[in-house]
């Protein structure tokens, strides 16, 4: 249903590649976090996103996200990526 409503017809591998590109190019905010909107990646779980970030040398923040995934070199509480 989500894909029909939002017209997002990309598959999980394409979404993973899009996430890798975003993590490599999006600027960090003043606190050092890269914020990603999970609704742009409906077929990727937060744990899978954490694994992708870990492969790129980043960590996924588990607390205080307010509807966004946050990634950075250092985080307060890391999302498990296994």
């Amino acid at each position: 249903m989500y894909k029909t409503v939002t017209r997002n017809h990309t598959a999980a591998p394409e979404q993973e590649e899009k996430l890798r590109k975003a993590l490599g190019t999006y600027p960090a905010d003043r606190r050092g976090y890269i914020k990603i909107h999970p609704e742009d990646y409906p077929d990727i779980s937060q744990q899978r996103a954490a694994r992708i970030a870990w492969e790129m040398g980043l960590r996924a923040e588990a607390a205080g996200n307010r509807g966004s995934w946050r990634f950075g070199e250092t985080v307060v509480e890391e999302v498990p990526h296994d």
Side-chain angles (χ1 to χ4, degrees):
M1 182 70 178
Y2 176 87
K3 291 180 182 182
T4 303
V5 172
T6 62
R7 297 188 177 129
N8 184 351
H9 298 285
T10 59
E14 293 168 334
Q15 291 177 22
E16 288 183 10
E17 185 59 35
K18 182 180 169 187
L19 178 60
R20 283 185 179 88
K21 184 179 272 189
L23 290 171
T25 60
Y26 283 16
D29 65 10
R30 63 182 176 84
R31 298 181 69 202
Y33 289 111
I34 298 169
K35 291 185 180 181
I36 303 289
H37 299 286
E39 60 269 12
D40 294 338
Y41 308 92
D43 295 330
I44 300 176
S45 68
Q46 186 177 17
Q47 288 77 22
R48 181 64 185 143
R51 177 65 181 202
I52 291 168
W54 179 78
E55 292 169 358
M56 297 183 67
L58 298 170
R59 298 174 189 257
E61 177 67 72
N65 295 339
R66 296 185 193 179
S68 295
W69 290 337
R70 295 190 312 178
F71 303 93
E73 292 181 5
T74 59
V75 295
V76 175
E77 182 181 349
E78 187 174 1
V79 172
H81 52 78
D82 293 323

